[in-house]
Amino acid sequence: MADNDDIILRDLNDDDLVEQMKDDLYDGMADEVFEGTQILLERGWDANNILSEALVEGMRIVGVDFRDGILFVPEVLQCANAMKGGMGLLRPILAKSEHSSSLGKYVIGTVKGDIHDIGKNLVGMMLEGAGFEVIDLGINNPVENYLKAIDEHQPAILGMSALLTTTMPYMGVVIEELDKRGILKELPVMVGGAPLNQEFADAIGAHSYGRDAAISAELARALVGQNR
Ligand code: B1M
């Protein structure tokens, strides 16, 4: 794709626009990613498709080059910022509840030592859309934060996110503490994040493993007995 300075996003057909948005996300161009998202919405695209085909796919490419040492932390931060611009526009659409009654509160946070929050935020949006009131604890949460939030909000579900192999074991630390305090038998725990899998979730005693945001929202409804 051409350098964004040379092109008018509105002139591109859908396929070229999606390609350009991935390039713009890679280049950390937040305004352009926002505009591309807006154009696709105006063209009648489903918010979930914009997310998966342009934004999440763009971030996947960023992840590969980050891993391979082609991109570095400051650049990836800009990519994350560009992605958040597009997500901000999709948020009200994704979070608009199709369900009239609230399914209760869902406390979610990224675990201690981990500052990745894009996936967690996406899960939060989908959960709101599924009918939950989402209490977002943000990033880098020690066990004390989860305990305080459980005490304060009495949630229907607790969710933890981790993107690093070095931070995912901390989910087990939180679950152990919940068990010690007798909370675990009352409160379902969902875990998710790119390095996790069902086997890991089972090993640490989580009730549920969410592979992606859409599945997690469905699983959460099932956990509170509201499966569609
Ligand atoms: Co980081 N980082 N990062 N990073 N980063 C990864 C995770 C990495 C895989 C990159 C790579 O090497 N390819 C790698 C981890 C390797 C490993 O552990 N095996 C890595 C590393 C190494 C690091 C640092 C250590 C780099 C450094 O400093 N040298 C550092 C750590 C900082 C820290 O946390 N202490 C670091 C920093 C950063 C940035 C700050 C620059 C930035 C984060 C910005 C932000 O989040 N605000 C960043 C980013 C952006 C990434 C990548 C490129 C993208 C992550 C992302 O947002 N994906 C990532 C590579 C990758 O994953 N491809 C990488 C898009 C998002 C929609 O997907 O988060 O997977 P994801 O969420 C999905 C599912 O996983 C699931 O649903 C979501 C939506 O479908 N899900 C849940 C997530 N949470 C869930 C919870 C649930 C249910 C489902 O229930 C509660």
Side-chain angles (χ1 to χ4, degrees), residues 73 109-117 120 137-146 160-171 173-174 195:
V73 170
T110 302
V111 295
K112 185 175 160 183
D114 201 321
I115 63 168
H116 295 85
D117 68 352
K120 166 188 70 60
L137 305 181
I139 55 173
N140 194 22
N141 284 288
V143 63
E144 295 78 16
N145 290 8
Y146 294 108
M160 291 184 277
S161 179
L163 263 286
L164 299 171
T165 45
T166 49
T167 56
M168 57 192 249
Y170 194 76
M171 294 171 154
V173 173
V174 176

Side-chain angles (χ1 to χ4, degrees), residues 67-80:
R67 180 198 61 207
D68 294 344
I70 298 165
L71 291 177
F72 297 95
V73 170
E75 291 149 334
V76 178
L77 267 175
Q78 284 185 318
C79 302

Side-chain angles (χ1 to χ4, degrees), residues 131-153:
F132 288 91
E133 183 186 340
V134 175
I135 314 290
D136 189 345
L137 305 181
I139 55 173
N140 194 22
N141 284 288
V143 63
E144 295 78 16
N145 290 8
Y146 294 108
L147 292 172
K148 187 164 170 276
I150 292 165
D151 193 38
E152 194 178 325
H153 298 289

Side-chain angles (χ1 to χ4, degrees), residues 45-68:
W45 273 57
D46 180 81
N48 282 299
N49 292 342
I50 301 175
L51 251 184
S52 58
E53 289 178 35
L55 303 183
V56 172
E57 178 55 20
M59 191 51 98
R60 189 192 63 77
I61 298 165
V62 169
V64 172
D65 281 2
F66 189 28
R67 180 198 61 207
D68 294 344

Side-chain angles (χ1 to χ4, degrees), residues 118-137:
I118 294 174
K120 166 188 70 60
N121 295 347
L122 211 47
V123 174
M125 287 181 203
M126 296 284 190
L127 288 168
E128 282 178 17
F132 288 91
E133 183 186 340
V134 175
I135 314 290
D136 189 345
L137 305 181

